[in-house]
Amino acid sequence: MVSLEVFLATLLYAGLGIVIFIVSFVLVDKLTPGELWKEIIERQNMAVALLAGAVAIGISSIIAAAVHG
């Protein structure tokens, strides 16, 4: 069985990873020209949606590697 200490550490690292991901993605959104969500939702721009997905996967991989050690 998993100890309470390990469980709380897992929750802490997961929460920290989510916060870092959100901050990073908002930063990428602000640095890209134009309005990212307007392009994806209103104009149905598939290329921008694929770019945003690729950026999200890349950021997630970097955060996972950093947290894992």
Side-chain angles (χ1 to χ4, degrees):
M1 179 148 210
V2 178
S3 69
L4 180 63
E5 182 178 318
V6 172
F7 181 72
L8 292 176
T10 302
L11 286 179
L12 176 70
Y13 281 117
L16 184 63
I18 291 169
V19 168
I20 292 171
F21 173 78
I22 291 171
V23 169
S24 300
F25 199 80
V26 168
L27 182 65
V28 168
D29 183 24
K30 297 296 180 195
L31 291 175
T32 55
E35 297 179 29
L36 186 65
W37 293 113
K38 186 175 183 180
E39 281 290 324
I40 294 171
I41 295 172
E42 291 179 9
R43 297 182 182 162
Q44 301 289 315
N45 191 335
M46 186 63 73
V48 174
L50 287 171
L51 174 68
V55 167
I57 291 172
I59 291 171
S60 299
S61 297
I62 292 169
I63 292 171
V67 168
H68 188 270

